[in-house]
Amino acid sequence: MLRVTALSAAAAIALSAFAATAPAEAAFHLIRWEGTGACQIWDESIPTKPIPSNYKTVSKPVPTFAAAIAIKDGMLKKGACKI
């Protein structure tokens, strides 16, 4: 049992060290769903594409979620997005 605990601890330390050294490359952009006109912030770190595929990318990637919210707010005020 002691070996399993030691092995688990070593794996946890190695994993946390890897996570600490990995660069944070979060990028967000705005997508607009066709048909409804609703806009949504999409996180590029998600390894899949939005489902269903009836959307259009309507902004350039930005590094933070707050920047994406600012873009969405501006598009809502201009009427380019409905919600």
Side-chain angles (χ1 to χ4, degrees):
M1 188 66 169
L2 183 59
R3 289 181 188 171
V4 172
T5 303
L7 183 60
S8 295
I13 290 170
L15 210 88
S16 63
F18 175 73
T21 59
E25 294 180 20
F28 302 89
H29 65 267
L30 209 60
I31 59 174
R32 183 175 51 228
W33 297 100
E34 293 180 17
T36 64
C39 290
Q40 178 180 355
I41 296 171
W42 187 259
D43 184 354
E44 285 291 319
S45 67
I46 297 173
T48 62
K49 292 185 178 187
I51 297 173
S53 62
N54 63 338
Y55 69 93
K56 182 176 183 180
T57 302
V58 292
S59 74
K60 294 181 179 178
V62 292
T64 64
F65 187 76
I69 288 178
I71 291 172
K72 183 176 180 180
D73 186 47
M75 291 185 77
L76 285 168
K77 288 178 182 175
K78 290 178 185 176
C81 292
K82 290 187 180 178
I83 49 176

